[in-house]
């Protein structure tokens, strides 16, 4: 029994050892046999693929166009992004150029406003430039009006000495305006503010003065400004109507004769204006349908020759200018007050040129007439008026004499009429002081 038990123990130990050795051998064996399962899977997949071999190419044919479209879409998106980047770079360059241009040439931002809103560019740019141009032109007019004979011609400022209109380019070329006005096409007007229709003109701009006007960059409206303030916006039609008011056409100029009714009517209005109801020694009255120019003196002082301009308002004559005899530049003096006045209505002489030559003492002339037996005594003379070089005498009997100073002596000759005396003087000098000749009745 004891031997049997030992044999059993030995066998049990052997079995344990054998089993342990087998497990160790299994753990140390490589896993090369495990892929057999994967191989089986591959084989199975290949078997399946063989069965479905015809369906796979169809799927590939369906997928390929989508892939090509996606590739094309991606390419187009890339191109668009490239273009956008290029556009952004160009915009940056253009903005940079615009900044440089705006610094170098401010006129670009005025002449070509970027905004489409009229109020935006109107208030900030055009109105400001219009007012500035009006201020400069007004200063130029006030300082040089007499010197250059600056006039209103068809409503626009005109330099009579150079026979040319005054424009922004003219003012710029003479240093009155800055360079940014070179392409600012505004009109420079010399008009009455009260003549502007369609807008309410401020009271400070109702009289004759300088205005500027420019057409909107878009639309058919005209913007107008004075040197003091913005006036407003009017239609193109009203603007053209405004300019036509200064296209002078008030009929033919005619000289009135003392036997005409209108002659005395005009004198009566002058008497009312002066508060003097005595008779006048009239030298000349000439008129058209709107204006009249009267040259006269009182009977007490023939050397004090006056010259008035009257305007006919609804059939009534009113004195518009009462000191024309003191003005050295008649055209400018009249036009600056009455810009629609026909300057051909003015007489050829200028009284102010002879103010210092007018004689108040006629004793030397009368002695000469007595010496040459043209009169017997001074009381025969009804009218006499003279300058240092000319004299005109009318006797109570109606005889008329014209005297010219020759060296130190008076050469006095009888003439048939006042017209003969005027013609003789104008042969000597077309601007001779013919205002000394007394007017007379004419046929």
């Amino acid at each position: 029994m004891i031997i049997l038990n030992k044999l059993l123990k030995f066998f049990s130990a052997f079995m344990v050892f054998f089993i342990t050795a087998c497990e160790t051998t299994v753990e140390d064996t490589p896993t090369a046999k495990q892929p057999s399962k994967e191989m089986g899977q591959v084989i199975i997949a290949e078997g399946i693929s063989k069965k479905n071999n015809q369906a796979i190419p169809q799927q590939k044919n369906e997928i390929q166009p989508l892939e090509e479209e996606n590739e094309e879409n991606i390419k187009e998106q890339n191109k668009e992004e490239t273009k956008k980047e290029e556009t952004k770079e160009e915009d940056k360059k253009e903005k940079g150029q615009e900044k440089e241009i705006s610094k170098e040439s401010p006129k670009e931002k005025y002449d070509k406003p970027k905004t489409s809103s009229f109020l935006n560019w109107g208030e900030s740019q055009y109105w400001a430039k219009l007012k500035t141009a009006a201020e400069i032109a007004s200063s130029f007019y006030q300082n040089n009006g007499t010197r250059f004979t600056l006039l209103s011609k068809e409503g626009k400022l005109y330099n009579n000495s150079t026979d040319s209109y005054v424009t922004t380019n003219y003012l710029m070329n003479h240093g009155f305006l800055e360079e940014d006005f070179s392409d600012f096409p505004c009109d420079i007007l010399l008009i009455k503010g009260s003549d502007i229709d369609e807008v309410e003109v401020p009271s400070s701009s109702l009289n004759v003065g300088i205005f500027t006007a420019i057409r909107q960059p878009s639309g058919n409206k005209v913007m107008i400004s004075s040197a003091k303030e913005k006036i407003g916006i009017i239609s193109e039609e009203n603007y053209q109507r405004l300019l036509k008011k200064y296209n002078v056409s008030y009929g033919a100029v005619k000289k009135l004769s003392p036997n005409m009714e209108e002659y005395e009517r005009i004198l009566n209005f002058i008497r009312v204006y002066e508060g003097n109801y005595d008779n006048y020694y009239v030298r000349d009255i000439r008129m058209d349908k709107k204006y009249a120019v009267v040259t006269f003196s009182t009977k007490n002082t023939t050397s004090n020759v006056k010259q008035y301009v009257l305007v006919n308002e609804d059939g009534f004559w009113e004195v518009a200018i009462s000191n024309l005899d003191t003005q050295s530049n008649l055209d400018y003096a009249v036009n600056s007050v009455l810009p629609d006045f026909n300057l051909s209505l003015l007489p050829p002489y200028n009284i102010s040129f002879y103010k210092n030559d007018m004689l108040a003492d006629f004793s030397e002339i009368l002695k000469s007439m007595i010496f040459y037996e043209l009169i017997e005594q001074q009381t025969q003379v009804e009218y006499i008026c003279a300058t240092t070089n000319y004299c005109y005498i009318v006797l109570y009997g109606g005889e008329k004499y014209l005297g010219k100073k020759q060296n130190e002596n008076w050469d006095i000759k009888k003439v048939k009429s006042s017209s003969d005396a005027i013609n003789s003087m104008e042969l000597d000098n077309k601007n001779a002081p013919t205002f000394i000749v007394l007017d007379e009745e004419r046929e």
Side-chain angles (χ1 to χ4, degrees), residues 237-254:
E237 181 181 1
N238 278 333
Y239 182 63
Q240 295 302 325
R241 189 180 295 115
L242 172 65
L243 297 181
K244 286 182 179 178
K245 291 181 180 181
Y246 301 91
N247 187 5
V248 181
S249 57
Y250 298 121
V253 176
K254 60 181 179 180

Side-chain angles (χ1 to χ4, degrees), residues 422-433:
I422 291 173
N423 292 336
S424 177
M425 294 173 67
E426 289 181 343
L427 286 175
D428 299 336
N429 180 0
K430 65 178 181 179
N431 297 317

Side-chain angles (χ1 to χ4, degrees), residues 50-165:
K50 288 180 181 179
K51 292 180 182 179
N52 299 331
N53 189 33
Q54 294 178 352
I56 292 173
Q58 292 179 356
Q59 291 177 355
K60 288 182 179 179
N61 290 337
E62 291 176 359
I63 293 172
Q64 284 178 353
L66 292 174
E67 292 175 352
E68 291 175 359
E69 289 178 3
N70 288 334
E71 290 177 359
E72 292 177 358
N73 290 336
I74 291 170
K75 290 180 180 180
E76 290 179 358
Q77 289 178 358
N78 291 335
K79 290 181 180 179
E80 290 178 358
E81 291 177 357
T82 302
K83 289 181 180 179
K84 288 181 179 179
E85 291 177 357
E86 292 176 353
T87 303
K88 289 180 179 179
E89 291 178 358
E90 291 178 357
D91 290 340
K92 289 180 180 179
K93 291 180 180 179
E94 290 178 357
K95 288 180 179 179
Q97 291 176 355
E98 288 177 0
K99 289 180 179 179
E100 292 177 359
I101 291 172
S102 64
K103 290 179 181 179
E104 294 177 359
S105 303
K107 63 185 178 185
E108 291 296 326
K109 65 179 180 180
Y110 293 113
D111 295 345
K112 299 179 181 178
K114 300 299 180 183
T115 60
S116 58
S117 172
F118 167 75
L119 292 178
N120 289 340
W121 61 254
E123 290 292 339
S124 61
Q125 297 176 9
Y126 273 68
W127 286 122
K129 294 202 75 172
L130 271 180
K131 185 173 181 293
T132 299
E135 290 172 350
I136 298 299
S138 180
S139 177
F140 172 75
Y141 174 70
Q142 293 173 3
N143 295 330
N144 301 282
T146 301
R147 177 186 174 192
F148 297 131
T149 311
L150 300 178
L151 308 172
S152 174
K153 187 173 183 180
E154 297 179 347
K156 298 180 181 180
L157 185 60
Y158 185 79
N159 188 331
N160 195 52
S161 64
T162 60
D163 293 328
S164 61
Y165 286 100

Side-chain angles (χ1 to χ4, degrees), residues 21-39:
C22 289
E23 290 177 353
T24 304
T25 302
V26 172
E27 290 175 358
D28 296 335
T29 301
T31 60
K33 292 182 179 180
Q34 292 178 358
S36 63
K37 295 181 180 179
E38 296 176 358
M39 293 292 290

Side-chain angles (χ1 to χ4, degrees), residues 160-175:
N160 195 52
S161 64
T162 60
D163 293 328
S164 61
Y165 286 100
V166 177
T167 63
T168 51
N169 284 336
Y170 175 94
L171 294 175
M172 183 195 70
N173 292 336
H174 289 79

